[in-house]
Short mmCIF file of all heavy atoms in Angstrom, two decimals:
data_model
loop_
_atom_site.label_atom_id
_atom_site.label_comp_id
_atom_site.label_asym_id
_atom_site.label_seq_id
_atom_site.Cartn_x
_atom_site.Cartn_y
_atom_site.Cartn_z
N TYR A 752 5.70 -1.70 -21.76
CA TYR A 752 7.08 -2.05 -21.67
C TYR A 752 8.02 -0.79 -21.58
O TYR A 752 8.98 -0.84 -20.77
CB TYR A 752 7.48 -2.89 -22.92
CG TYR A 752 8.75 -3.72 -22.76
CD1 TYR A 752 8.68 -4.90 -22.16
CD2 TYR A 752 9.93 -3.28 -23.25
CE1 TYR A 752 9.77 -5.77 -22.00
CE2 TYR A 752 11.03 -4.10 -23.10
CZ TYR A 752 11.05 -5.30 -22.51
OH TYR A 752 12.13 -6.01 -22.41
N ASN A 755 7.79 1.00 -18.18
CA ASN A 755 8.60 0.28 -17.12
C ASN A 755 10.08 0.59 -17.26
O ASN A 755 10.77 0.77 -16.31
CB ASN A 755 8.36 -1.25 -17.23
CG ASN A 755 8.35 -1.87 -15.95
OD1 ASN A 755 8.43 -1.28 -14.88
ND2 ASN A 755 8.23 -3.21 -15.90
N LEU A 768 8.49 -1.53 -11.50
CA LEU A 768 7.17 -1.93 -11.39
C LEU A 768 7.04 -3.37 -11.93
O LEU A 768 7.48 -3.72 -13.01
CB LEU A 768 6.33 -1.02 -12.40
CG LEU A 768 5.42 0.02 -11.82
CD1 LEU A 768 4.80 0.87 -12.87
CD2 LEU A 768 4.32 -0.69 -10.99
N LYS A 769 6.46 -4.21 -11.12
CA LYS A 769 6.25 -5.59 -11.63
C LYS A 769 5.23 -5.63 -12.69
O LYS A 769 4.25 -4.84 -12.62
CB LYS A 769 5.77 -6.48 -10.46
CG LYS A 769 6.79 -6.62 -9.31
CD LYS A 769 8.15 -7.10 -9.74
CE LYS A 769 9.13 -7.14 -8.57
NZ LYS A 769 9.38 -5.79 -7.97
N GLU A 770 5.43 -6.46 -13.67
CA GLU A 770 4.57 -6.52 -14.82
C GLU A 770 3.10 -6.73 -14.39
O GLU A 770 2.20 -6.02 -15.01
CB GLU A 770 4.99 -7.58 -15.82
CG GLU A 770 6.23 -7.27 -16.54
CD GLU A 770 6.31 -7.95 -17.91
OE1 GLU A 770 5.50 -8.83 -18.14
OE2 GLU A 770 7.22 -7.70 -18.60
N ALA A 771 2.81 -7.67 -13.63
CA ALA A 771 1.45 -7.91 -13.13
C ALA A 771 0.82 -6.65 -12.59
O ALA A 771 -0.36 -6.33 -12.84
CB ALA A 771 1.42 -9.04 -12.11
N THR A 772 1.57 -5.93 -11.81
CA THR A 772 1.14 -4.69 -11.21
C THR A 772 0.89 -3.63 -12.35
O THR A 772 -0.15 -2.98 -12.35
CB THR A 772 2.14 -4.10 -10.29
OG1 THR A 772 2.46 -5.16 -9.31
CG2 THR A 772 1.62 -2.86 -9.57
N LEU A 773 1.77 -3.59 -13.19
CA LEU A 773 1.66 -2.61 -14.35
C LEU A 773 0.34 -2.73 -15.10
O LEU A 773 -0.38 -1.87 -15.26
CB LEU A 773 2.90 -2.89 -15.23
CG LEU A 773 3.08 -1.82 -16.42
CD1 LEU A 773 3.27 -0.43 -15.94
CD2 LEU A 773 4.13 -2.30 -17.37
N TYR A 774 0.14 -4.04 -15.53
CA TYR A 774 -1.03 -4.26 -16.34
C TYR A 774 -2.39 -4.18 -15.53
O TYR A 774 -3.42 -3.73 -16.08
CB TYR A 774 -0.86 -5.56 -17.10
CG TYR A 774 0.19 -5.45 -18.16
CD1 TYR A 774 1.42 -6.11 -18.00
CD2 TYR A 774 0.04 -4.63 -19.32
CE1 TYR A 774 2.45 -5.98 -18.91
CE2 TYR A 774 1.02 -4.49 -20.23
CZ TYR A 774 2.17 -5.17 -20.02
OH TYR A 774 3.18 -4.99 -21.02
N THR A 775 -2.34 -4.64 -14.30
CA THR A 775 -3.57 -4.36 -13.53
C THR A 775 -3.88 -2.92 -13.38
O THR A 775 -5.01 -2.49 -13.39
CB THR A 775 -3.45 -4.93 -12.09
OG1 THR A 775 -2.21 -5.72 -11.97
CG2 THR A 775 -4.70 -5.70 -11.61
P DA C 1194 9.33 -3.04 -27.62
OP1 DA C 1194 8.91 -2.59 -28.93
OP2 DA C 1194 9.96 -2.09 -26.66
"O5'" DA C 1194 8.10 -3.79 -26.84
"C5'" DA C 1194 6.95 -4.13 -27.62
"C4'" DA C 1194 5.99 -5.01 -26.81
"O4'" DA C 1194 6.68 -6.24 -26.45
"C3'" DA C 1194 5.54 -4.54 -25.51
"O3'" DA C 1194 4.36 -3.79 -25.68
"C2'" DA C 1194 5.15 -5.87 -24.73
"C1'" DA C 1194 5.79 -6.90 -25.71
N9 DA C 1194 6.34 -7.97 -24.88
C8 DA C 1194 7.40 -7.96 -24.04
N7 DA C 1194 7.66 -9.11 -23.44
C5 DA C 1194 6.63 -10.01 -23.96
C6 DA C 1194 6.40 -11.33 -23.63
N6 DA C 1194 7.12 -12.10 -22.73
N1 DA C 1194 5.33 -11.91 -24.31
C2 DA C 1194 4.62 -11.14 -25.22
N3 DA C 1194 4.83 -9.85 -25.52
C4 DA C 1194 5.91 -9.36 -24.85
P DC C 1195 3.40 -3.38 -24.44
OP1 DC C 1195 2.59 -2.27 -24.93
OP2 DC C 1195 4.19 -3.23 -23.25
"O5'" DC C 1195 2.40 -4.59 -24.26
"C5'" DC C 1195 1.51 -4.96 -25.24
"C4'" DC C 1195 0.99 -6.37 -25.13
"O4'" DC C 1195 2.02 -7.26 -24.79
"C3'" DC C 1195 0.12 -6.45 -23.85
"O3'" DC C 1195 -1.26 -6.06 -24.21
"C2'" DC C 1195 0.13 -7.94 -23.57
"C1'" DC C 1195 1.49 -8.41 -24.16
N1 DC C 1195 2.46 -8.86 -23.14
C2 DC C 1195 2.40 -10.22 -22.71
O2 DC C 1195 1.54 -10.96 -23.33
N3 DC C 1195 3.21 -10.74 -21.87
C4 DC C 1195 4.11 -9.95 -21.29
N4 DC C 1195 4.95 -10.39 -20.36
C5 DC C 1195 4.20 -8.54 -21.63
C6 DC C 1195 3.29 -8.04 -22.53
P DA C 1196 -2.29 -5.86 -23.07
OP1 DA C 1196 -3.58 -5.45 -23.72
OP2 DA C 1196 -1.71 -4.82 -22.10
"O5'" DA C 1196 -2.52 -7.20 -22.29
"C5'" DA C 1196 -3.16 -8.29 -22.88
"C4'" DA C 1196 -3.14 -9.50 -22.10
"O4'" DA C 1196 -1.74 -9.90 -21.77
"C3'" DA C 1196 -3.70 -9.26 -20.70
"O3'" DA C 1196 -5.06 -9.69 -20.68
"C2'" DA C 1196 -2.87 -10.15 -19.76
"C1'" DA C 1196 -1.75 -10.67 -20.59
N9 DA C 1196 -0.50 -10.52 -19.95
C8 DA C 1196 0.32 -9.50 -19.86
N7 DA C 1196 1.49 -9.74 -19.06
C5 DA C 1196 1.26 -10.98 -18.72
C6 DA C 1196 2.10 -11.90 -17.86
N6 DA C 1196 3.32 -11.52 -17.39
N1 DA C 1196 1.70 -13.18 -17.70
C2 DA C 1196 0.52 -13.51 -18.21
N3 DA C 1196 -0.31 -12.85 -19.00
C4 DA C 1196 0.19 -11.60 -19.19
P DG D 45 2.70 -22.73 -18.04
OP1 DG D 45 2.03 -24.05 -18.04
OP2 DG D 45 4.22 -22.81 -18.05
"O5'" DG D 45 2.24 -21.83 -19.13
"C5'" DG D 45 0.88 -21.43 -19.15
"C4'" DG D 45 0.68 -20.37 -20.18
"O4'" DG D 45 1.15 -19.09 -19.57
"C3'" DG D 45 1.44 -20.53 -21.50
"O3'" DG D 45 0.63 -20.90 -22.51
"C2'" DG D 45 2.01 -19.19 -21.81
"C1'" DG D 45 1.50 -18.18 -20.76
N9 DG D 45 2.51 -17.26 -20.29
C8 DG D 45 3.62 -17.48 -19.63
N7 DG D 45 4.44 -16.39 -19.53
C5 DG D 45 3.69 -15.39 -20.20
C6 DG D 45 3.94 -14.06 -20.37
O6 DG D 45 4.89 -13.39 -20.07
N1 DG D 45 2.97 -13.40 -21.16
C2 DG D 45 1.82 -14.07 -21.71
N2 DG D 45 1.06 -13.28 -22.37
N3 DG D 45 1.51 -15.38 -21.44
C4 DG D 45 2.53 -15.82 -20.72
#
Side-chain angles (χ1 to χ4, degrees):
Chain A
Y752 200 82
N755 215 4
L768 253 172
K769 297 304 178 300
E770 289 205 352
T772 306
L773 184 66
Y774 291 107
T775 351

